[in-house]
Amino acid sequence: MKELAGELTKILEEITSLLNQYLPLEEEKLKAIQENKVEFGVDGRKKEQALILKLRGLAGKRDEVLKKAGCTGKTMREILEELEENEKRQVQPVFDRLVLAVQNFDSYNAESMKLIQLRLHDMEKAAAESQGKTYGKGKESDPDSEHFLSRLL
């Protein structure tokens, strides 16, 4: 398990660093949405897509490490419980930083998504009213759908 702890620590640090690097992008996106600016546009989306690809690559790397250690399908919390105390002391702080980074990233992302949905609702309503139609309830996202970052924890 010692090798597992070392490899997990490295991967978790990479994921945390990546999320922290992209947090300003989420802040920029939220600000653009709040100000009804479209400038975020293509460049911002390309950066987001690059982040997602990198995160998926790291998640795949993590899955390979877990498979090699016989921990396939276990959550990080379950794995932490199985580590020896000295290994747990190595991995736990890194995991805690990852959890905080995911929470920060998700809070900006969630706020952006709410604002986007509100903007879409307003545009759908305006389009319907301009055509002389009454506007009904718009589409809503599934609150039970799982964000891909939640699978990291």
Side-chain angles (χ1 to χ4, degrees), residues 16-28 44 46-52 54-55 105:
T16 302
S17 173
L18 190 59
L19 288 172
N20 287 332
Q21 288 173 20
Y22 278 88
L23 192 57
L25 178 67
E26 284 299 304
E27 292 171 346
E28 179 186 338
K46 284 181 183 178
K47 290 176 183 176
E48 280 183 316
Q49 289 171 348
L51 167 66
I52 290 168
K54 288 177 184 177
L55 285 171
F105 191 88

Side-chain angles (χ1 to χ4, degrees), residues 5-148:
E7 289 183 64
L8 280 178
T9 298
K10 183 179 177 201
I11 292 168
L12 296 178
E13 285 173 340
E14 288 180 56
I15 294 170
T16 302
S17 173
L18 190 59
L19 288 172
N20 287 332
Q21 288 173 20
Y22 278 88
L23 192 57
L25 178 67
E26 284 299 304
E27 292 171 346
E28 179 186 338
K29 179 173 74 174
L30 178 59
K31 185 176 180 182
I33 295 166
Q34 288 170 333
E35 296 173 356
N36 267 341
K37 294 183 179 176
V38 193
E39 293 96 43
F40 185 76
V42 175
D43 188 45
R45 282 192 290 281
K46 284 181 183 178
K47 290 176 183 176
E48 280 183 316
Q49 289 171 348
L51 167 66
I52 290 168
L53 289 174
K54 288 177 184 177
L55 285 171
R56 286 186 180 152
L58 289 170
K61 203 172 171 181
R62 182 208 59 218
D63 291 344
E64 287 177 29
V65 168
L66 295 179
K67 182 178 181 180
K68 193 168 65 174
C71 296
T72 303
K74 293 184 180 180
T75 66
M76 284 302 304
R77 286 183 172 86
E78 291 170 335
I79 293 167
L80 280 169
E81 290 300 315
E82 295 176 7
L83 294 175
E84 294 179 21
E85 276 308 309
N86 61 336
E87 295 166 338
K88 190 183 283 191
R89 280 193 302 273
Q90 175 189 355
V91 179
Q92 185 70 55
V94 177
F95 178 71
D96 291 342
R97 286 191 297 273
L98 172 63
V99 169
L100 182 61
V102 168
Q103 289 170 342
N104 287 337
F105 191 88
D106 275 350
S107 70
Y108 278 104
N109 188 273
E111 188 65 25
S112 294
M113 293 306 295
K114 285 178 192 174
L115 285 173
I116 288 170
Q117 288 176 341
L118 284 171
R119 299 289 187 256
L120 285 172
H121 175 79
D122 291 345
M123 290 187 313
E124 289 172 347
K125 184 178 178 183
E129 288 173 353
S130 73
Q131 295 175 357
K133 299 178 183 175
T134 59
Y135 184 75
K137 188 174 182 180
K139 294 181 181 176
E140 297 175 0
S141 64
D142 179 7
D144 296 327
S145 69
E146 201 173 275
H147 190 278
F148 78 94

